[in-house]
Amino acid sequence: MLANTRLADRTWRVDIEAPELAKRIRPGQFFMVRLPGHTDPLLGRPFALLDILPQESGVSFAHMVVGKATGLLADARAGDRLDVWGPLGQRFPEPVAGARRVALVAGGIGQTPFLAHTRELLGSHGFAGDPPARRVETVDFVYGARTSSLHAGVDAFRDAGATVHLATDDGTAGTHGRVTDVLAALPRPDHVFGCGPEPMLKALARQCASMGLPCHLSLETPMACGLGICYSCVVKVRDTESPAGWDYRRVCVDGPTFAAEDLVEFA
């Protein structure tokens, strides 16, 4: 571990030296992290790519303290060893053809995959050997939290070129309301990406469907192995070849990002 920096209330950014991972990973993918020497918890935890460190020397991720693993991570210090494996999962899909404006909608700790995505969309960083290439003109970053003290790393999104729109349940920052309220008031985006708590994602999926907007959701489904072996992170996805009209897909292998219209329980 290179650094462990507090971003907000109970929220931390961890920088790790991992040059090979930094050269291979793409926005939307994740990696598993485990604290060696600990048997409680025994399994690793999945973390989305937050950012690439300078000269592709490593990667960073962010987390909120909610249990034993994240509590131990919050207490870790520079120089501590972490077991890390990845990249895992699939990258974010490209925006629809001709897209000029993309909205990235986050709730809770769901902002974590979107910093690298912002850099990719605006062409400030290439990934996995790809040269930087601007994909859209505008990125609207819509970020909701219960209160302002939980907004983490907002300045980094502004520095990356995103237009930031905040929302809070208690009105302490930005719009007093939900991220869907903010999205409805913005200029119409050409494509929406979302990440956050499941109720928020379901509301976002319904909103985008009603507005006729392409929408992809990055799921925060708990998982054990991250490699598709244990089948603990399955989600129902529409499948026209299945007699039931849907089949299970593993979030760790087939996701974590899916088209909202394909998620059976999100429509």
Side-chain angles (χ1 to χ4, degrees), residues 75-206:
D75 292 334
R77 297 291 180 266
D80 288 354
R81 179 179 172 82
L82 298 176
D83 290 338
V84 179
W85 58 99
L88 304 171
Q90 305 299 316
R91 55 157 293 179
F92 283 122
E94 294 288 345
V96 294
R100 301 174 64 184
R101 191 179 203 109
V102 164
L104 308 180
V105 183
I109 195 65
Q111 88 283 8
T112 54
F114 287 145
L115 182 57
H117 198 197
T118 296
R119 298 195 194 284
E120 182 179 52
L121 290 170
L122 295 179
S124 62
H125 189 90
F127 292 85
D130 292 344
R134 193 178 187 105
R135 289 161 166 80
V136 298
E137 294 179 6
T138 303
V139 170
D140 287 307
F141 174 56
V142 182
Y143 184 15
R146 293 196 305 274
T147 188
S148 60
S149 65
L150 295 174
H151 281 139
V154 173
D155 288 342
F157 283 89
R158 294 193 178 101
D159 292 343
T163 302
V164 175
H165 312 270
L166 301 179
T168 48
D169 292 346
D170 63 4
T172 51
T175 297
H176 186 183
R178 304 173 185 268
V179 290
T180 48
D181 300 327
V182 178
L183 181 63
L186 293 179
R188 182 183 176 89
D190 299 299
H191 202 138
V192 175
F193 295 84
C195 185
E198 187 172 299
M200 185 212 90
L201 295 184
K202 289 181 176 179
L204 180 63
R206 292 191 296 269

Side-chain angles (χ1 to χ4, degrees), residues 217-241:
L217 304 177
S218 179
L219 304 185
E220 297 180 325
T221 307
M223 58 185 68
C225 73
L227 302 171
I229 299 171
C230 68
Y231 281 78
S232 67
C233 63
V234 293
V235 63
K236 292 181 179 179
V237 176
R238 299 189 194 283
D239 184 349
T240 56
E241 297 182 2

